[in-house]
Amino acid sequence: MRYPVPILILLYVLIWASSCRKDFEYESSNGDLEFSKDTVFLDTVFTNIGSSTYSLKVYNRSGKDIVIPDIQLEDGENSRYRLNVEGVAGKAFENIPLYARDSLYIFIETTYDIAPTNQNEFLYVDNLLFDSGTNEQRIPLVTLVKDAIFLFPSTLADGSKESLLLGIDEQGNELRIKGFVLEDEELNFTNEKPYVIYGYAAVSENKILTVQAGSRLYFHKDSGILVGTGGSIKVNGSLSEDQELLENEVIFEGDRLEPEFATVPGQWGTLWMAPGSVDNEISYLTLKNATAGILAEGNPTASPPTLTIRNSQVYNSSVVNLWGRNTSVEAENLVLGNAGTHSLFCDLGGSYSFLHSTIANYWSNGFRTGAALKINNFESNGSGEETGAHLLRADFINCIIDGNTGRELDLARTTTYDFNFLFSHVLLKFLDPGGQFTNDPLYDFGNTDFYEEVYLNTEANFSDPIRNVFEIGNNSAALGKGDLSTALLVPFDLLGRDRSADPALGAYQVLF
Protein backbone atom coordinates (compact mmCIF):
# COMPACT_ATOMS: atom_id res chain seq x y z
CA MET A 1 0.00 0.00 0.00
CA ARG A 2 1.25 3.47 -0.78
CA TYR A 3 0.52 6.33 1.62
CA PRO A 4 0.17 9.99 0.69
CA VAL A 5 3.24 12.06 1.51
CA PRO A 6 1.54 14.02 4.38
CA ILE A 7 0.71 10.74 6.13
CA LEU A 8 4.31 9.53 5.79
CA ILE A 9 5.56 12.78 7.32
CA LEU A 10 3.07 12.43 10.18
CA LEU A 11 4.20 8.84 10.86
CA TYR A 12 7.84 9.94 10.91
CA VAL A 13 7.11 12.73 13.38
CA LEU A 14 5.18 10.34 15.66
CA ILE A 15 8.01 7.78 15.63
CA TRP A 16 10.65 10.47 16.30
CA ALA A 17 8.61 11.97 19.11
CA SER A 18 8.05 8.63 20.81
CA SER A 19 11.80 7.86 20.72
CA CYS A 20 12.88 11.15 22.32
CA ARG A 21 13.37 11.57 26.08
CA LYS A 22 11.98 14.85 27.33
CA ASP A 23 13.54 16.80 30.23
CA PHE A 24 10.25 16.52 32.10
CA GLU A 25 10.73 12.74 32.21
CA TYR A 26 13.67 13.15 34.62
CA GLU A 27 13.26 13.56 38.35
CA SER A 28 15.63 15.64 40.43
CA SER A 29 18.08 13.67 42.52
CA ASN A 30 17.17 13.59 46.19
CA GLY A 31 20.58 13.07 47.81
CA ASP A 32 20.85 9.33 47.31
CA LEU A 33 23.65 9.21 44.76
CA GLU A 34 26.34 6.64 45.40
CA PHE A 35 30.05 7.00 44.67
CA SER A 36 33.02 4.77 43.92
CA LYS A 37 35.03 6.55 46.64
CA ASP A 38 34.14 8.53 49.73
CA THR A 39 37.30 10.64 49.30
CA VAL A 40 39.44 11.23 46.21
CA PHE A 41 43.11 11.23 47.17
CA LEU A 42 45.24 12.74 44.43
CA ASP A 43 48.70 11.48 45.20
CA THR A 44 51.58 13.75 46.16
CA VAL A 45 52.55 16.36 43.58
CA PHE A 46 55.28 18.95 43.32
CA THR A 47 54.36 22.62 43.39
CA ASN A 48 53.22 23.98 40.00
CA ILE A 49 53.44 20.51 38.39
CA GLY A 50 50.16 19.06 37.19
CA SER A 51 48.87 15.89 38.77
CA SER A 52 47.81 12.72 37.03
CA THR A 53 44.11 12.39 36.20
CA TYR A 54 41.96 10.67 38.81
CA SER A 55 38.40 9.45 38.45
CA LEU A 56 35.23 9.29 40.51
CA LYS A 57 32.26 7.22 39.42
CA VAL A 58 28.76 8.44 40.32
CA TYR A 59 25.92 5.88 40.47
CA ASN A 60 22.16 6.19 40.18
CA ARG A 61 21.01 2.94 41.83
CA SER A 62 17.32 3.85 41.56
CA GLY A 63 14.90 2.66 38.90
CA LYS A 64 14.18 6.21 37.75
CA ASP A 65 15.98 8.56 35.40
CA ILE A 66 17.22 11.57 37.35
CA VAL A 67 18.86 14.90 36.80
CA ILE A 68 21.59 16.19 39.11
CA PRO A 69 20.87 19.93 39.53
CA ASP A 70 24.47 20.92 40.38
CA ILE A 71 27.95 19.45 40.34
CA GLN A 72 30.57 21.95 41.46
CA LEU A 73 33.72 22.60 43.42
CA GLU A 74 33.12 24.22 46.79
CA ASP A 75 35.83 26.83 46.17
CA GLY A 76 34.27 27.60 42.79
CA GLU A 77 36.43 29.33 40.24
CA ASN A 78 39.13 29.84 42.90
CA SER A 79 39.63 26.11 43.25
CA ARG A 80 42.92 24.67 42.02
CA TYR A 81 41.16 21.46 41.06
CA ARG A 82 39.89 20.88 37.54
CA LEU A 83 36.93 18.70 36.53
CA ASN A 84 35.75 16.94 33.44
CA VAL A 85 32.17 15.66 33.55
CA GLU A 86 31.02 13.48 30.67
CA GLY A 87 33.68 14.95 28.39
CA VAL A 88 33.08 18.61 29.33
CA ALA A 89 35.77 20.54 31.24
CA GLY A 90 34.87 23.06 33.91
CA LYS A 91 34.42 23.72 37.61
CA ALA A 92 30.61 23.91 37.82
CA PHE A 93 27.90 22.01 35.93
CA GLU A 94 24.11 22.13 35.95
CA ASN A 95 21.31 19.68 35.19
CA ILE A 96 23.37 16.58 34.49
CA PRO A 97 21.08 13.69 33.44
CA LEU A 98 21.71 10.19 34.77
CA TYR A 99 19.63 7.26 33.62
CA ALA A 100 18.19 4.67 35.96
CA ARG A 101 20.76 2.14 37.22
CA ASP A 102 23.45 3.95 35.26
CA SER A 103 26.62 5.84 36.17
CA LEU A 104 28.82 8.68 35.02
CA TYR A 105 32.53 9.46 35.33
CA ILE A 106 34.05 12.62 36.75
CA PHE A 107 37.75 13.16 36.06
CA ILE A 108 39.81 15.30 38.44
CA GLU A 109 43.22 17.00 38.19
CA THR A 110 45.06 19.69 40.09
CA THR A 111 48.01 22.07 39.90
CA TYR A 112 48.93 24.03 43.02
CA ASP A 113 51.45 26.75 43.84
CA ILE A 114 52.67 26.18 47.36
CA ALA A 115 54.67 29.43 47.59
CA PRO A 116 51.97 31.58 49.27
CA THR A 117 51.69 29.07 52.14
CA ASN A 118 55.38 29.46 53.13
CA GLN A 119 55.45 25.72 53.81
CA ASN A 120 57.51 22.90 52.35
CA GLU A 121 54.48 20.62 52.38
CA PHE A 122 50.83 21.58 52.24
CA LEU A 123 47.68 19.46 52.31
CA TYR A 124 45.34 21.01 49.76
CA VAL A 125 41.66 20.14 50.25
CA ASP A 126 38.47 21.10 48.42
CA ASN A 127 35.06 19.44 48.17
CA LEU A 128 33.14 18.22 45.17
CA LEU A 129 29.47 19.11 45.77
CA PHE A 130 26.43 17.37 44.32
CA ASP A 131 23.12 19.29 44.61
CA SER A 132 22.58 21.70 47.51
CA GLY A 133 20.56 22.27 50.66
CA THR A 134 19.19 19.16 52.33
CA ASN A 135 20.03 17.03 49.27
CA GLU A 136 23.68 18.08 49.17
CA GLN A 137 26.31 15.35 48.99
CA ARG A 138 30.04 16.02 49.10
CA ILE A 139 33.22 14.17 48.24
CA PRO A 140 36.48 15.57 49.67
CA LEU A 141 39.40 16.05 47.28
CA VAL A 142 42.80 15.78 48.97
CA THR A 143 46.32 16.40 47.59
CA LEU A 144 49.67 16.65 49.34
CA VAL A 145 51.74 19.35 47.63
CA LYS A 146 55.51 19.47 48.08
CA ASP A 147 57.70 22.46 47.53
CA ALA A 148 60.82 21.70 45.53
CA ILE A 149 63.86 23.17 43.85
CA PHE A 150 63.57 22.72 40.08
CA LEU A 151 66.71 22.46 37.97
CA PHE A 152 66.34 22.42 34.20
CA PRO A 153 67.97 23.50 30.93
CA SER A 154 67.37 27.09 29.92
CA THR A 155 65.65 28.05 26.67
CA LEU A 156 68.04 29.61 24.17
CA ALA A 157 67.34 32.61 21.91
CA ASP A 158 66.43 30.35 18.99
CA GLY A 159 63.87 28.52 21.10
CA SER A 160 65.96 25.37 21.55
CA LYS A 161 66.88 23.92 24.93
CA GLU A 162 70.33 24.12 26.50
CA SER A 163 72.37 20.96 25.87
CA LEU A 164 75.67 19.31 26.81
CA LEU A 165 78.35 18.32 24.31
CA LEU A 166 79.40 14.67 24.76
CA GLY A 167 81.74 14.38 21.81
CA ILE A 168 82.01 14.12 18.03
CA ASP A 169 80.89 11.10 16.01
CA GLU A 170 82.78 9.53 13.08
CA GLN A 171 81.04 11.86 10.64
CA GLY A 172 82.11 14.94 12.57
CA ASN A 173 78.67 15.60 14.07
CA GLU A 174 78.26 16.80 17.63
CA LEU A 175 76.79 14.36 20.13
CA ARG A 176 74.61 16.21 22.59
CA ILE A 177 72.10 15.51 25.33
CA LYS A 178 69.61 17.89 26.86
CA GLY A 179 71.18 19.31 29.99
CA PHE A 180 72.92 22.16 31.77
CA VAL A 181 75.98 22.90 33.89
CA LEU A 182 75.38 23.37 37.60
CA GLU A 183 76.42 26.83 38.78
CA ASP A 184 78.56 27.24 41.91
CA GLU A 185 75.53 28.14 44.03
CA GLU A 186 73.80 24.94 42.88
CA LEU A 187 76.54 22.52 43.90
CA ASN A 188 75.36 21.89 47.46
CA PHE A 189 72.17 19.85 47.70
CA THR A 190 70.52 19.87 51.14
CA ASN A 191 67.58 18.14 52.80
CA GLU A 192 65.54 21.34 53.15
CA LYS A 193 63.56 20.74 49.96
CA PRO A 194 63.54 17.98 47.34
CA TYR A 195 65.22 18.59 43.99
CA VAL A 196 63.45 17.91 40.70
CA ILE A 197 65.84 17.63 37.77
CA TYR A 198 64.99 17.92 34.08
CA GLY A 199 67.71 16.91 31.64
CA TYR A 200 71.25 16.13 32.79
CA ALA A 201 72.73 18.27 35.56
CA ALA A 202 76.47 18.45 34.83
CA VAL A 203 79.35 18.87 37.26
CA SER A 204 82.18 20.66 35.46
CA GLU A 205 85.96 20.47 35.85
CA ASN A 206 87.38 21.15 39.34
CA LYS A 207 83.87 21.33 40.79
CA ILE A 208 82.34 19.05 43.44
CA LEU A 209 78.63 18.34 43.78
CA THR A 210 77.89 17.65 47.44
CA VAL A 211 74.65 15.89 48.37
CA GLN A 212 73.93 16.12 52.09
CA ALA A 213 72.33 13.48 54.29
CA GLY A 214 68.56 13.25 53.90
CA SER A 215 68.52 14.83 50.44
CA ARG A 216 65.88 13.70 47.95
CA LEU A 217 66.52 13.94 44.21
CA TYR A 218 63.75 13.28 41.68
CA PHE A 219 64.59 12.90 38.00
CA HIS A 220 62.31 13.46 35.04
CA LYS A 221 62.31 11.09 32.09
CA ASP A 222 65.69 10.97 30.27
CA SER A 223 67.36 12.96 33.02
CA GLY A 224 70.23 12.37 35.43
CA ILE A 225 73.56 13.67 36.72
CA LEU A 226 76.70 13.85 34.57
CA VAL A 227 80.02 14.21 36.39
CA GLY A 228 82.46 15.48 33.78
CA THR A 229 86.23 15.41 33.43
CA GLY A 230 87.87 16.70 36.60
CA GLY A 231 84.55 16.86 38.44
CA SER A 232 83.39 14.89 41.48
CA ILE A 233 80.24 13.95 43.32
CA LYS A 234 80.10 13.34 47.08
CA VAL A 235 76.91 11.70 48.36
CA ASN A 236 77.09 12.04 52.14
CA GLY A 237 74.17 10.05 53.45
CA SER A 238 74.26 8.40 56.87
CA LEU A 239 72.55 5.58 58.74
CA SER A 240 68.88 6.20 59.49
CA GLU A 241 67.22 5.30 62.76
CA ASP A 242 63.88 4.70 61.03
CA GLN A 243 64.31 2.18 58.21
CA GLU A 244 60.90 3.13 56.82
CA LEU A 245 61.47 6.88 56.63
CA LEU A 246 65.21 6.63 55.80
CA GLU A 247 65.54 10.15 57.14
CA ASN A 248 69.34 10.30 56.79
CA GLU A 249 69.77 8.38 53.56
CA VAL A 250 69.99 10.06 50.19
CA ILE A 251 67.42 8.87 47.66
CA PHE A 252 67.57 9.17 43.86
CA GLU A 253 64.40 8.18 41.97
CA GLY A 254 61.98 9.25 39.24
CA ASP A 255 59.68 12.26 39.59
CA ARG A 256 56.40 10.33 39.30
CA LEU A 257 55.12 10.22 42.87
CA GLU A 258 51.98 8.15 42.29
CA PRO A 259 52.08 4.77 44.10
CA GLU A 260 51.70 2.86 40.85
CA PHE A 261 55.11 4.23 39.75
CA ALA A 262 56.92 3.18 42.93
CA THR A 263 58.40 0.08 41.30
CA VAL A 264 58.42 0.99 37.60
CA PRO A 265 61.95 0.61 36.16
CA GLY A 266 63.50 2.92 33.59
CA GLN A 267 61.83 6.16 34.71
CA TRP A 268 65.01 8.22 34.40
CA GLY A 269 68.53 8.00 33.01
CA THR A 270 71.64 7.47 35.11
CA LEU A 271 74.19 8.83 37.55
CA TRP A 272 77.01 9.09 35.03
CA MET A 273 80.65 9.42 36.03
CA ALA A 274 82.26 10.19 32.70
CA PRO A 275 85.89 9.40 31.81
CA GLY A 276 88.13 11.76 33.75
CA SER A 277 85.81 12.31 36.70
CA VAL A 278 87.74 11.85 39.95
CA ASP A 279 87.31 10.60 43.49
CA ASN A 280 83.55 10.12 43.44
CA GLU A 281 82.26 8.96 46.83
CA ILE A 282 78.85 7.61 47.77
CA SER A 283 77.56 6.68 51.23
CA TYR A 284 74.06 5.60 52.20
CA LEU A 285 72.41 6.16 48.84
CA THR A 286 69.27 4.39 47.66
CA LEU A 287 69.04 4.70 43.87
CA LYS A 288 66.07 3.10 42.14
CA ASN A 289 64.00 2.88 38.95
CA ALA A 290 66.69 4.23 36.60
CA THR A 291 67.73 2.95 33.18
CA ALA A 292 71.38 2.38 34.16
CA GLY A 293 71.64 3.18 37.85
CA ILE A 294 75.31 4.18 38.00
CA LEU A 295 77.62 4.34 34.98
CA ALA A 296 81.30 4.83 35.88
CA GLU A 297 83.91 5.12 33.11
CA GLY A 298 87.67 5.41 32.83
CA ASN A 299 90.67 5.75 35.17
CA PRO A 300 91.23 2.05 35.99
CA THR A 301 94.43 2.80 37.92
CA ALA A 302 93.15 5.88 39.72
CA SER A 303 94.01 6.36 43.38
CA PRO A 304 91.64 7.07 45.01
CA PRO A 305 89.37 5.07 42.69
CA THR A 306 86.92 6.62 40.28
CA LEU A 307 84.08 5.44 42.55
CA THR A 308 84.03 4.50 46.20
CA ILE A 309 80.57 3.36 47.28
CA ARG A 310 79.54 2.19 50.74
CA ASN A 311 76.34 1.25 52.54
CA SER A 312 74.15 1.79 49.50
CA GLN A 313 71.47 0.11 47.42
CA VAL A 314 70.88 0.28 43.67
CA TYR A 315 67.95 -1.62 42.25
CA ASN A 316 65.14 -1.87 39.73
CA SER A 317 67.10 -0.44 36.81
CA SER A 318 65.69 -1.39 33.43
CA VAL A 319 69.16 -2.35 32.09
CA VAL A 320 71.92 -2.49 34.71
CA ASN A 321 72.38 -1.24 38.27
CA LEU A 322 76.12 -0.57 38.30
CA TRP A 323 78.04 -0.48 35.03
CA GLY A 324 81.78 0.01 35.19
CA ARG A 325 83.62 0.51 31.89
CA ASN A 326 87.39 0.17 32.24
CA THR A 327 87.20 2.00 35.54
CA SER A 328 88.06 1.57 39.22
CA VAL A 329 85.43 0.81 41.84
CA GLU A 330 85.73 -0.04 45.54
CA ALA A 331 82.53 -1.11 47.27
CA GLU A 332 81.52 -2.15 50.78
CA ASN A 333 78.09 -3.09 52.11
CA LEU A 334 76.60 -2.59 48.67
CA VAL A 335 73.33 -4.15 47.50
CA LEU A 336 72.89 -4.40 43.74
CA GLY A 337 69.41 -5.82 43.31
CA ASN A 338 67.03 -6.56 40.49
CA ALA A 339 67.71 -5.23 36.99
CA GLY A 340 66.61 -5.95 33.45
CA THR A 341 69.99 -7.40 32.41
CA HIS A 342 72.82 -7.32 34.97
CA SER A 343 72.96 -6.25 38.60
CA LEU A 344 76.68 -5.55 38.09
CA PHE A 345 78.57 -5.27 34.80
CA CYS A 346 82.37 -4.97 35.01
CA ASP A 347 82.99 -4.11 31.37
CA LEU A 348 86.17 -3.70 29.31
CA GLY A 349 88.54 -4.49 32.13
CA GLY A 350 89.35 -2.20 35.02
CA SER A 351 89.90 -2.61 38.74
CA TYR A 352 87.12 -3.70 41.11
CA SER A 353 86.90 -4.62 44.77
CA PHE A 354 83.65 -5.69 46.45
CA LEU A 355 83.58 -6.51 50.15
CA HIS A 356 80.46 -7.73 51.97
CA SER A 357 78.23 -6.96 49.00
CA THR A 358 75.02 -8.61 47.81
CA ILE A 359 74.69 -8.93 44.03
CA ALA A 360 71.34 -10.61 43.46
CA ASN A 361 68.95 -10.40 40.55
CA TYR A 362 65.37 -11.65 40.93
CA TRP A 363 63.99 -9.57 38.06
CA SER A 364 60.27 -10.24 37.52
CA ASN A 365 59.32 -7.55 34.98
CA GLY A 366 60.00 -9.70 31.95
CA PHE A 367 62.49 -12.15 30.50
CA ARG A 368 66.10 -11.59 31.60
CA THR A 369 69.04 -12.91 29.56
CA GLY A 370 72.00 -11.52 31.54
CA ALA A 371 73.63 -12.95 34.65
CA ALA A 372 73.53 -11.02 37.92
CA LEU A 373 77.29 -10.47 37.53
CA LYS A 374 79.07 -10.14 34.21
CA ILE A 375 82.81 -9.48 33.83
CA ASN A 376 84.74 -9.07 30.59
CA ASN A 377 87.91 -7.48 29.23
CA PHE A 378 86.84 -6.86 25.62
CA GLU A 379 83.97 -5.99 23.34
CA SER A 380 83.27 -6.56 19.66
CA ASN A 381 81.89 -4.02 17.20
CA GLY A 382 79.47 -4.76 14.39
CA SER A 383 82.33 -5.86 12.11
CA GLY A 384 83.63 -8.39 14.61
CA GLU A 385 86.65 -6.29 15.55
CA GLU A 386 87.63 -6.51 19.20
CA THR A 387 88.76 -3.76 21.52
CA GLY A 388 89.74 -4.42 25.11
CA ALA A 389 91.72 -3.53 28.20
CA HIS A 390 93.35 -5.30 31.13
CA LEU A 391 91.19 -6.55 33.96
CA LEU A 392 93.65 -5.59 36.68
CA ARG A 393 91.53 -7.17 39.39
CA ALA A 394 87.97 -8.12 40.20
CA ASP A 395 87.88 -9.22 43.83
CA PHE A 396 84.71 -10.39 45.53
CA ILE A 397 85.19 -11.24 49.20
CA ASN A 398 82.45 -12.13 51.69
CA CYS A 399 79.82 -11.59 48.98
CA ILE A 400 76.59 -13.18 47.75
CA ILE A 401 76.00 -13.61 44.01
CA ASP A 402 72.53 -15.00 43.44
CA GLY A 403 69.35 -14.70 41.39
CA ASN A 404 66.38 -16.45 39.84
CA THR A 405 68.18 -17.92 36.81
CA GLY A 406 70.45 -20.94 36.79
CA ARG A 407 73.75 -19.18 36.09
CA GLU A 408 74.37 -15.84 37.76
CA LEU A 409 78.05 -15.43 36.84
CA ASP A 410 79.20 -14.66 33.28
CA LEU A 411 82.93 -14.37 32.56
CA ALA A 412 84.22 -13.47 29.08
CA ARG A 413 87.84 -12.79 28.22
CA THR A 414 90.32 -12.42 25.42
CA THR A 415 93.86 -13.59 26.10
CA THR A 416 95.17 -10.40 24.52
CA TYR A 417 94.59 -8.65 27.85
CA ASP A 418 94.97 -9.64 31.49
CA PHE A 419 91.96 -11.16 33.21
CA ASN A 420 92.53 -11.24 36.97
CA PHE A 421 89.70 -12.13 39.33
CA LEU A 422 89.13 -13.70 42.75
CA PHE A 423 86.04 -15.01 44.53
CA SER A 424 86.77 -15.65 48.20
CA HIS A 425 84.17 -16.66 50.79
CA VAL A 426 81.33 -16.22 48.33
CA LEU A 427 77.88 -17.76 48.02
CA LEU A 428 77.46 -18.27 44.27
CA LYS A 429 74.56 -19.43 42.10
CA PHE A 430 75.96 -21.38 39.12
CA LEU A 431 74.07 -24.37 37.77
CA ASP A 432 75.52 -26.28 34.82
CA PRO A 433 73.29 -29.35 34.44
CA GLY A 434 74.43 -30.02 30.87
CA GLY A 435 78.14 -29.76 31.68
CA GLN A 436 78.62 -26.91 29.21
CA PHE A 437 81.31 -25.28 31.37
CA THR A 438 82.96 -28.39 32.81
CA ASN A 439 86.19 -27.88 30.89
CA ASP A 440 86.20 -24.09 30.93
CA PRO A 441 89.11 -22.95 33.16
CA LEU A 442 87.29 -19.74 34.02
CA TYR A 443 84.73 -21.81 35.92
CA ASP A 444 87.11 -24.26 37.58
CA PHE A 445 85.78 -23.78 41.10
CA GLY A 446 88.56 -25.98 42.47
CA ASN A 447 91.25 -23.58 41.24
CA THR A 448 92.30 -21.63 44.35
CA ASP A 449 93.93 -18.96 42.21
CA PHE A 450 90.39 -17.85 41.35
CA TYR A 451 88.07 -19.43 43.91
CA GLU A 452 88.51 -19.77 47.68
CA GLU A 453 85.73 -20.99 49.96
CA VAL A 454 83.01 -20.70 47.35
CA TYR A 455 79.59 -22.06 48.37
CA LEU A 456 77.85 -23.16 45.20
CA ASN A 457 74.09 -23.23 44.77
CA THR A 458 73.10 -22.93 48.41
CA GLU A 459 70.13 -21.04 49.78
CA ALA A 460 70.60 -17.33 50.53
CA ASN A 461 67.19 -17.17 52.23
CA PHE A 462 66.48 -13.53 51.36
CA SER A 463 63.52 -11.80 53.01
CA ASP A 464 61.70 -10.70 49.84
CA PRO A 465 64.00 -10.63 46.81
CA ILE A 466 61.25 -9.86 44.28
CA ARG A 467 60.75 -6.56 46.13
CA ASN A 468 64.49 -5.95 46.51
CA VAL A 469 64.60 -6.80 50.20
CA PHE A 470 67.86 -8.74 50.54
CA GLU A 471 68.22 -9.19 54.28
CA ILE A 472 68.98 -12.83 55.04
CA GLY A 473 67.07 -15.13 57.36
CA ASN A 474 68.10 -17.55 60.08
CA ASN A 475 68.24 -20.41 57.59
CA SER A 476 70.63 -18.70 55.18
CA ALA A 477 73.67 -20.62 53.99
CA ALA A 478 75.55 -17.31 54.22
CA LEU A 479 75.54 -17.31 58.03
CA GLY A 480 78.95 -17.56 59.63
CA LYS A 481 80.74 -18.13 56.33
CA GLY A 482 82.56 -14.80 56.13
CA ASP A 483 86.30 -14.30 56.37
CA LEU A 484 86.87 -12.63 59.74
CA SER A 485 89.84 -10.50 58.68
CA THR A 486 87.72 -9.00 55.87
CA ALA A 487 84.76 -8.51 58.21
CA LEU A 488 86.95 -6.49 60.56
CA LEU A 489 87.64 -4.11 57.68
CA VAL A 490 83.88 -3.56 57.41
CA PRO A 491 82.80 -4.22 61.01
CA PHE A 492 79.17 -3.07 60.69
CA ASP A 493 76.58 -4.16 58.15
CA LEU A 494 74.31 -1.98 56.02
CA LEU A 495 71.96 -1.51 58.98
CA GLY A 496 74.73 -0.76 61.48
CA ARG A 497 74.77 -4.25 63.06
CA ASP A 498 78.05 -5.62 64.37
CA ARG A 499 79.63 -8.38 62.28
CA SER A 500 83.02 -8.53 64.05
CA ALA A 501 82.20 -12.05 65.27
CA ASP A 502 80.78 -14.88 63.17
CA PRO A 503 80.29 -12.71 60.05
CA ALA A 504 77.70 -13.60 57.41
CA LEU A 505 78.28 -13.17 53.71
CA GLY A 506 76.73 -10.22 51.90
CA ALA A 507 75.69 -6.78 53.05
CA TYR A 508 73.55 -7.91 55.99
CA GLN A 509 74.25 -9.59 59.29
CA VAL A 510 71.59 -11.55 61.16
CA LEU A 511 71.03 -10.83 64.84
CA PHE A 512 69.75 -13.79 66.84
Side-chain angles (χ1 to χ4, degrees):
M1 175 182 289
R2 300 183 64 183
Y3 294 98
V5 172
I7 294 177
L8 289 174
I9 294 174
L10 177 60
L11 286 171
Y12 175 79
V13 170
L14 289 173
I15 292 169
W16 176 82
S18 65
S19 66
C20 290
R21 305 183 67 95
K22 301 286 202 278
D23 286 345
F24 59 76
E25 292 181 353
Y26 291 88
E27 295 185 3
S28 292
S29 64
N30 57 6
D32 58 357
L33 297 171
E34 295 184 18
F35 306 96
S36 58
K37 305 168 185 174
D38 58 11
T39 303
V40 178
F41 292 98
L42 285 76
D43 295 303
T44 305
V45 297
F46 290 115
T47 181
N48 290 317
I49 300 296
S51 71
S52 293
T53 302
Y54 296 78
S55 64
L56 175 71
K57 204 168 184 180
V58 183
Y59 298 95
N60 173 16
R61 303 290 193 189
S62 75
K64 298 179 180 180
D65 299 340
I66 63 172
V67 64
I68 306 171
D70 300 290
I71 299 176
Q72 59 186 320
L73 292 161
E74 188 170 38
D75 286 348
E77 291 299 318
N78 293 323
S79 179
R80 296 297 182 265
Y81 288 100
R82 302 181 296 276
L83 305 178
N84 187 297
V85 177
E86 297 287 84
V88 179
K91 297 188 178 183
F93 306 84
E94 295 181 349
N95 299 322
I96 306 301
L98 187 55
Y99 294 159
R101 299 182 182 87
D102 201 354
S103 62
L104 63 85
Y105 275 104
I106 299 177
F107 297 99
I108 305 155
E109 299 175 343
T110 190
T111 305
Y112 192 88
D113 181 4
I114 200 173
T117 70
N118 293 315
Q119 300 180 54
N120 286 339
E121 291 188 355
F122 179 75
L123 197 65
Y124 177 49
V125 179
D126 198 354
N127 288 292
L128 183 55
L129 306 182
F130 297 83
D131 210 336
S132 59
T134 58
N135 291 334
E136 181 183 276
Q137 294 176 270
R138 58 177 54 207
I139 298 293
L141 310 178
V142 181
T143 306
L144 179 63
V145 185
K146 287 179 176 284
D147 198 4
I149 296 170
F150 293 88
L151 300 172
F152 49 87
S154 60
T155 301
L156 304 179
D158 62 1
S160 64
K161 292 291 185 181
E162 186 179 4
S163 62
L164 300 170
L165 178 63
L166 300 181
I168 307 295
D169 67 14
E170 295 178 353
Q171 289 73 42
N173 301 312
E174 292 185 342
L175 299 173
R176 289 184 171 272
I177 56 171
K178 188 180 296 184
F180 57 97
V181 175
L182 290 167
E183 301 294 338
D184 287 354
E185 62 272 16
E186 297 172 325
L187 288 170
N188 185 32
F189 288 7
T190 72
N191 61 7
E192 294 179 6
K193 295 180 182 180
Y195 293 78
V196 183
I197 297 174
Y198 291 76
Y200 275 82
V203 183
S204 57
E205 189 171 8
N206 298 322
K207 302 295 183 181
I208 299 174
L209 172 60
T210 302
V211 185
Q212 297 183 13
S215 297
R216 301 291 188 260
L217 277 64
Y218 298 89
F219 297 90
H220 196 62
K221 188 178 186 299
D222 300 324
S223 300
I225 291 175
L226 172 58
V227 186
T229 299
S232 302
I233 183 171
K234 309 288 186 183
V235 177
N236 298 327
S238 59
L239 181 63
S240 298
E241 293 184 8
D242 189 326
Q243 288 301 308
E244 293 293 329
L245 293 176
L246 298 176
E247 71 280 2
N248 294 324
E249 288 202 29
V250 174
I251 298 178
F252 289 6
E253 61 181 309
D255 66 349
R256 297 299 299 268
L257 304 184
E258 304 93 320
E260 59 266 31
F261 282 88
T263 58
V264 175
Q267 294 182 47
W268 57 285
T270 185
L271 169 53
W272 186 357
M273 299 161 192
S277 70
V278 295
D279 194 16
N280 301 290
E281 295 181 318
I282 294 174
S283 293
Y284 289 98
L285 169 68
T286 294
L287 187 157
K288 55 187 177 180
N289 302 335
T291 300
I294 299 174
L295 171 59
E297 298 187 279
N299 304 341
T301 60
S303 181
T306 301
L307 171 62
T308 302
I309 181 167
R310 302 183 179 94
N311 302 305
S312 297
Q313 303 178 71
V314 185
Y315 57 82
N316 212 40
S317 302
S318 61
V319 179
V320 60
N321 289 322
L322 174 53
W323 186 358
R325 284 180 57 82
N326 191 33
T327 193
S328 49
V329 177
E330 292 186 1
E332 301 172 356
N333 280 343
L334 176 62
V335 173
L336 298 173
N338 304 334
T341 305
H342 307 294
S343 299
L344 171 61
F345 188 10
C346 301
D347 186 18
L348 274 176
S351 176
Y352 306 91
S353 171
F354 289 81
L355 308 181
H356 277 290
S357 294
T358 298
I359 302 161
N361 198 342
Y362 283 77
W363 180 256
S364 61
N365 288 308
F367 185 68
R368 171 170 66 93
T369 57
L373 170 59
K374 180 171 183 176
I375 307 172
N376 67 30
N377 65 349
F378 74 98
E379 65 182 7
S380 300
N381 61 22
S383 303
E385 298 174 340
E386 290 184 355
T387 58
H390 296 301
L391 180 66
L392 303 174
R393 68 167 179 161
D395 295 344
F396 299 84
I397 305 175
N398 288 3
C399 292
I400 296 174
I401 301 164
D402 195 28
N404 57 1
T405 69
R407 185 167 64 95
E408 295 295 0
L409 174 64
D410 183 358
L411 304 174
R413 72 172 177 184
T414 174
T415 55
T416 306
Y417 301 96
D418 294 343
F419 196 74
N420 299 306
F421 66 92
L422 174 66
F423 294 88
S424 176
H425 297 79
V426 169
L427 189 155
L428 172 63
K429 176 82 168 287
F430 191 93
L431 296 172
D432 184 23
Q436 177 183 356
F437 300 96
T438 299
N439 297 317
D440 190 330
L442 292 179
Y443 301 104
D444 180 1
F445 298 112
N447 185 344
T448 56
D449 289 337
F450 297 148
Y451 300 97
E452 300 174 350
E453 300 294 329
V454 172
Y455 306 94
L456 284 174
N457 307 318
T458 54
E459 179 56 54
N461 193 214
F462 294 124
S463 296
D464 193 351
I466 298 298
R467 293 178 172 81
N468 291 289
V469 181
F470 291 103
E471 293 185 58
I472 55 176
N474 293 334
N475 296 320
S476 175
L479 298 180
K481 299 295 197 307
D483 172 63
L484 183 57
S485 61
T486 300
L488 293 176
L489 297 175
V490 193
F492 298 99
D493 79 348
L494 184 54
L495 298 177
R497 298 180 294 207
D498 193 333
R499 62 157 65 97
S500 59
D502 202 28
L505 305 178
Y508 294 102
Q509 188 75 6
V510 172
L511 294 183
F512 295 97

